[in-house]
Amino acid sequence: MRNNKHPLRTLVRACAFAASTFALASLGSQSVFADETCQSPYMAKIVGQEDFVYVWTLGAEGVGDEQDKLVTVDVNPQSKSYGKVVSTLSVGGRNEAHHSGFTDDRQFLWAASLDTSKMFIFDVHSDPAKPKLVKTITDFVAKSGGVVGPHTTYALPGRMIITGLSNNKDHGGRTGIVEYTNDGDYVTTHWTPTDSDLQGAVKTGKYADGYGYDLRVLPRRNLMLTSSFTGWSNYMMDFGKMLNDPEAMKRFGNTVVQWNLHSKQPKKIFDVPGAPLEIRCAWGENHNYCFTSTALTSKIWLIFENDKGEWQAKEVADVGDPSKVPLPVDISISSDDKMLWVNTFMDGKTRAFDITDPHKPKQVYEQKIGAQVNMVSSSWDGKRLYYTSSLLANWDKKGADNEQFLKGYAWDGKQLTQKFAIDFTQEKLGRAHQMVFNAYSLYSANKPDGVTNLLAKK
């Protein structure tokens, strides 16, 4: 089935119409995260050549063992297995595998799931080429007091902080953020503020919806930001059923929340209509701003600190033609804060924006990656970008457009050049979703004999 007949195209058009009907107050979409430049500032970065990309992959019916799995791909050009899958580790069943993130010491990778709310902890330091599953957390909902759908798993010092997408009372978007120790022990839950319980936060606009999605921090400004999406009942719903359910179409987030990073108290709630998804914060020591994009309204938003030390949110650029709802999904910021990559799911394109002036992003490049594209992950040095295809198991395109891949590209500052591609369907792996990097340079004692350490040459 081609794009113009796919249910997601119908959904997007319907959402665009509903947006005007509901004044953009109730719509959203879905995305993904994870590249080296979006990792927590509390952990070491791979500043040279990464050796591996871990792809957190959704099991697909009729494809291989049909299970969610962590797929390890060799991405070192000097390796004999460059561009090849070197290991896979299935975790049992289909849990709606989604995001993953390292602990602050990069010893372990936490991978979450949106359906069963299970979290899987992998040892990635003993043998980076062959991660080992060392713990499965099955009581996240009970421990957290009802948070459902763990999404972003993000490193704080000695802690993992996890955003939720839903709750176990009504499976709607009301949710919270949850803290665990690095060992996998529950610490506490912080519920996102709502109109009925602002928790001391200040509304700067119309909404306090209590929804969650992504999370990022700027420690030097004591800043934590969360964005918003929708609840389990929507993101797991059949497309046609959701389209014909007016109440379901009202249940999407339109906010970004500013939190006190140290106390975890919410401070401000910003109106960011149209489903603000991934958050990417600048790296420069005087660059006090972050970006997000809104899926339904196809906008880039800037969350920034003004001259008075107050945080603000404003729309700063369009992504493609908003009237065609290209559906912006993942974004990736360069480590020098000069470039923002934005993927759009519906047209399968990646776009590069010059963000030298963060208040006036300008598109400088675009390229079609596939029939559908979701994730974009940039290396710290900005020379390599990786792309994957899957959005959600029930939201991916159908037929020939249901491409499932990992593709690696070189970027010379002017052009993307494809270096390798792995067909996840042909390889019987499933739906390629979220990516994180690893390198032997982080664990020098574990580097096998004969493996070239490109970092050591720099």
Side-chain angles (χ1 to χ4, degrees):
M1 188 179 295
R2 304 308 297 173
N3 282 6
N4 61 345
K5 295 182 180 180
H6 183 262
L8 186 53
R9 174 66 70 185
T10 305
L11 171 64
V12 170
R13 289 173 176 167
C15 286
F17 173 77
S20 62
T21 303
F22 295 111
L24 297 177
S26 59
L27 298 175
S29 186
Q30 170 60 342
S31 173
V32 237
F33 95 96
D35 50 76
E36 197 63 19
T37 61
C38 86
Q39 294 295 332
S40 169
Y42 290 109
M43 65 187 183
K45 299 293 181 293
I46 305 169
V47 297
Q49 174 67 53
E50 56 281 356
D51 291 305
F52 302 106
V53 167
Y54 300 137
V55 185
W56 189 216
T57 305
L58 290 77
E61 291 187 40
V63 179
D65 66 7
E66 302 185 339
Q67 299 181 29
D68 295 349
K69 56 181 60 66
L70 190 66
V71 177
T72 303
V73 177
D74 187 329
V75 295
N76 188 325
Q78 295 192 6
S79 171
K80 292 181 180 179
S81 54
Y82 173 67
K84 304 294 184 183
V85 174
V86 294
S87 71
T88 66
L89 180 52
S90 297
V91 298
R94 291 188 298 276
N95 310 278
E96 196 66 37
H98 209 66
H99 291 290
S100 69
F102 297 102
T103 51
D104 59 336
D105 57 9
R106 290 192 81 138
Q107 303 287 295
F108 298 92
L109 179 68
W110 286 49
S113 57
L114 298 185
D115 186 14
T116 65
S117 296
K118 291 181 179 179
M119 292 192 292
F120 305 90
I121 304 177
F122 299 93
D123 172 351
V124 294
H125 69 282
S126 295
D127 184 352
K130 296 181 179 180
K132 299 175 183 177
L133 180 62
V134 295
K135 185 171 185 176
T136 301
I137 296 175
T138 60
D139 59 356
F140 175 81
V141 178
K143 288 286 189 180
S144 65
V147 176
V148 166
H151 184 266
T152 300
T153 54
Y154 195 75
L156 299 182
R159 293 280 191 272
M160 291 298 288
I161 191 163
I162 300 139
T163 58
L165 293 190
S166 191
N167 68 80
N168 67 344
K169 291 184 178 180
D170 61 8
H171 282 156
R174 173 80 169 103
T175 193
I177 52 179
V178 185
E179 288 188 66
Y180 273 75
T181 68
N182 282 0
D183 292 329
D185 296 322
Y186 170 76
V187 177
T188 192
T189 300
H190 311 278
W191 291 93
T192 308
T194 62
D195 278 316
S196 61
D197 186 10
L198 288 172
Q199 302 174 54
V202 176
K203 286 174 62 175
T204 64
K206 295 172 59 178
Y207 307 112
D209 50 36
Y211 286 22
Y213 184 74
D214 199 19
L215 177 149
R216 290 296 180 275
V217 305
L218 278 178
R220 66 180 179 277
R221 307 308 298 157
N222 192 25
L223 175 77
M224 182 169 72
L225 296 174
T226 57
S227 56
S228 55
F229 178 44
T230 191
W232 184 96
S233 59
N234 271 13
Y235 65 71
M236 294 301 296
M237 188 185 293
D238 173 79
F239 278 129
K241 181 178 180 181
M242 187 169 70
L243 284 173
N244 291 309
D245 186 340
E247 290 305 310
M249 295 305 296
K250 295 177 183 179
R251 297 193 292 262
F252 288 84
N254 295 279
T255 55
V256 167
V257 178
Q258 174 194 348
W259 303 71
N260 180 306
L261 170 60
H262 300 306
S263 68
K264 309 299 185 298
Q265 293 297 310
K267 297 185 67 176
K268 280 187 178 181
I269 307 165
F270 300 108
D271 283 4
V272 183
L277 299 178
E278 315 304 335
I279 302 170
R280 301 291 179 259
C281 294
W283 289 95
E285 61 181 11
N286 295 315
H287 289 178
N288 299 324
Y289 54 85
C290 305
F291 290 95
T292 189
S293 65
T294 51
L296 289 182
T297 54
S298 300
K299 306 289 186 181
I300 295 174
W301 281 72
L302 182 69
I303 316 296
F304 66 100
E305 188 179 39
N306 64 19
D307 293 340
K308 296 181 180 180
E310 293 291 326
W311 286 87
Q312 309 290 325
K314 72 174 183 178
E315 170 193 322
V316 290
D318 291 333
V319 181
D321 183 348
S323 69
K324 296 180 180 179
V325 195
L327 200 67
V329 279
D330 197 25
I331 62 177
S332 177
I333 193 170
S334 63
S335 61
D336 61 6
D337 298 336
K338 293 181 179 180
M339 190 80 73
L340 186 72
W341 292 90
V342 183
N343 280 1
T344 45
F345 182 80
M346 288 308 304
D347 57 16
K349 289 184 177 180
T350 190
R351 293 172 170 84
F353 286 81
D354 179 342
I355 54 170
T356 304
D357 180 350
H359 293 267
K360 297 179 180 179
K362 297 178 181 179
Q363 183 178 322
V364 294
Y365 181 81
E366 73 176 56
Q367 182 167 323
K368 189 175 181 66
I369 302 299
Q372 60 186 11
V373 67
N374 194 3
M375 299 277 310
V376 52
S377 296
S378 173
S379 61
W380 186 260
D381 60 17
K383 297 178 180 179
R384 294 166 303 286
L385 288 106
Y386 302 89
Y387 295 88
T388 52
S389 49
S390 181
L391 189 58
L392 283 164
N394 293 327
W395 288 48
D396 288 347
K397 296 180 181 180
K398 308 296 183 182
D401 286 343
N402 182 30
E403 296 178 349
Q404 296 298 338
F405 57 76
L406 167 68
K407 295 182 179 181
Y409 289 78
W411 171 250
D412 63 4
K414 297 181 179 180
Q415 184 74 33
L416 285 173
T417 303
Q418 185 174 308
K419 294 299 184 180
F420 71 85
I422 300 173
D423 186 326
F424 269 51
T425 302
Q426 181 178 321
E427 298 293 326
K428 302 185 184 304
L429 298 171
R431 301 175 184 272
H433 197 65
Q434 185 249 2
M435 297 168 283
V436 291
F437 304 156
N438 208 355
Y440 286 120
S441 59
L442 298 171
Y443 324 103
S444 57
N446 299 326
K447 185 184 66 167
D449 293 339
V451 173
T452 302
N453 185 349
L454 297 186
L455 258 176
K457 293 183 176 182
K458 291 187 177 294

